[in-house]
Amino acid sequence: MTEPVVTRFAPSPTGFLHIGGGRTALFNWLYARRFGGKMLLRIEDTDRERSTEPAIAAIIDGLQWLGLDWEGEPIFQFARAARHAEVARQMLAEGKAYECFATAQELTDMRELARAEKRPPRYDGRWRDRPAADIEAAHAAGLKPVIRLKAPQDGETIVEDRVQGRVVFPNKDLDDTVLLRSDGTPTYMLAVVVDDHDMDVTHIVRGDDHLTNAARQTHIYQAMGWRVPVMAHIPLIHGSDGAKLSKRHGALGVDAYRALGYLPAALRNYLVRLGWSAGDKEIFTTQEMIDAFDLPQIGRSPARFDFAKLENINGLYMRAMPVDELLAALLDTLPHLEHGTALAAKLDDGLRAKLLAAMPGLKERAKTLVELLDGARYLYADRPLALEPKAKELLDGGGRAHLIALLPRLEALGDWNASGAESVVRAYSEEIGAKLGSVAQPLRAALTGRTTSPGVFDVLETLGREESLARLRDQTKD
RNA sequence: GCGACCUUCGUCUAUCGGUUAGGACGGCUGCCUUUCACGCAGCAAAGAGGGGUUCGACUCCCCUAGGUCGCACCA
């Protein structure tokens, strides 16, 4: 029996949950699910200057919207500062760490000198082996030291990464990491290691921007005699031009994807295939993802974010979704959609029924909820309808005559439904020897104000007799 | 500057020394059709460059180029 898998998602609340973070969370979540373990959420808020409450709320909201849950309450790293300091002091007592009184100015000079000599900027270890007397003197002078790790100076540190492979770092390239600042607060490097250890994290899955940190953190694990968790550093997501992901590329908060009308299940499906694959399979249910997910299938090269593909997958999900569920998803998302309030304000049982009736025709024509909402506008537009320019042209260019001719025939229609309306319109167009399109298009223009919509006969049916005829009369007047 | 990592169609990817290098998105044709979509059928499109190793390299090794990340008392 192996120990249970514990993964964690550990965002710093200095901004919103962006798309790369969302994917990292998804991978952690999937891995935990796959192996019957759990995912923890840790908010890395030790940077008091930049951490904000709204960011914390946005991250939690983003994860929930994406459908990714975590075990227990979120752990706030800052709240554990005393424990982190305790570990630093323990390392100091054990000689695994030392006090360093180098001033900010000294450190800056050190870096500039290194740069001038074309060496990598690195702390030179000037307090590493100072006699006790020097340290006492510095204390006596009222100086506040940082605690630095006494990292190995020779040999190499090996990170056995499950995605990147065996990565070797010469120890001479890694300097003595600061563990505790001079004000007594822990650094990220210390806090992460202590927390991952205390939380019994077995697998660390994070962006490969942390790969070199992994070597430094390995030193801390070794100094404490703790077992190093399995590491998996996944490549970052890039923008469509291969450069760093920017706003323009999709480096938006996940809440922005909700506002753009993407379904969480579709976004998950898109994200899981960015950097991970299982043969040629493209579409996965959540369960299929869980069953197929594992670390070896994660690629080592960065992927570019592609809105077109996301849109395609979202369209696939929308079309596959039962109409009542899709409608529910649309209505739930209304507060987040740009023109959502217009529909929300008019929503009643009648409109709800019309939306549901129109949904089969609507969902074939939309790739996002935004497009779905837009496509549904004719259902609740106020009379007389504002006509789009092309729709107006259609009526002015001879279409109105057809409406005038059709109006009495439609008024005479017994049962008001799509097939009945179709017979009437077809009979008329045959009578006058016109193509069906030449009659159907003006009809559509008058009924929806547009030149594209679901099938006109379906439009007539869902709109109902009164509304349909009224809209036609509106357009025959002038 | 130093270090690490990456490099298959425009994009996401399959391939785990032997394939006509496959799939998906996007693009283009066509079919369907009352519009727009959907759907269906088809077409074009790739191993960064150069050296090795091998009977045989997309696959292994080296170099070059390009890209990304990292090098804080930030996380």
Side-chain angles (χ1 to χ4, degrees), chain A residues 94 257 309:
Chain A
E94 292 172 356
Y257 290 87
K309 184 129 186 180

Side-chain angles (χ1 to χ4, degrees), chain A residues 4 258 280 318 342 445 450 470:
Chain A
R258 172 169 52 195
D280 286 339
M318 284 177 49
R450 297 180 162 186

Side-chain angles (χ1 to χ4, degrees), chain A residues 188-342:
Chain A
Y188 161 80
M189 212 63 76
L190 202 224
V192 166
V193 172
V194 174
D195 288 348
D196 283 336
H197 173 265
D198 289 358
M199 289 158 71
D200 294 318
V201 170
T202 60
H203 293 71
I204 295 175
V205 179
R206 76 228 299 191
D208 71 4
D209 49 338
H210 287 285
L211 187 57
T212 44
N213 291 337
R216 294 190 143 81
Q217 289 165 8
T218 297
H219 289 161
I220 301 176
Y221 280 105
Q222 288 167 345
M224 289 304 292
W226 291 340
R227 197 212 40 193
V228 182
V230 172
M231 307 257 196
H233 288 91
I234 63 179
L236 268 19
I237 298 174
H238 289 173
S240 51
D241 57 359
K244 188 190 170 92
L245 203 58
S246 69
K247 282 263 168 61
R248 186 168 53 85
H249 294 130
L252 310 164
V254 295
D255 58 312
Y257 290 87
R258 172 169 52 195
L260 288 168
Y262 296 105
L263 266 10
L267 186 54
R268 259 184 272 137
N269 197 142
Y270 174 70
L271 287 178
V272 81
R273 285 287 288 102
L274 265 192
W276 174 86
S277 62
D280 286 339
K281 194 167 167 63
E282 298 279 350
I283 303 299
F284 295 81
T285 64
T286 301
Q287 191 57 49
E288 286 171 336
M289 265 182 221
I290 292 169
D291 293 340
F293 193 81
D294 205 348
L295 270 12
Q297 297 99 296
I298 297 175
R300 286 165 309 258
S301 57
R304 302 182 186 201
F305 192 86
D306 182 14
F307 269 112
K309 184 129 186 180
L310 206 210
E311 201 154 286
N312 170 267
I313 290 177
N314 202 66
L316 242 38
Y317 270 79
M318 284 177 49
R319 271 172 265 133
M321 204 181 268
V323 288
D324 54 336
E325 283 178 35
L326 217 208
L327 178 57
L330 173 66
L331 297 180
D332 287 347
T333 313
L334 247 26
H336 304 279
L337 300 178
E338 195 176 351
H339 298 106
T341 48

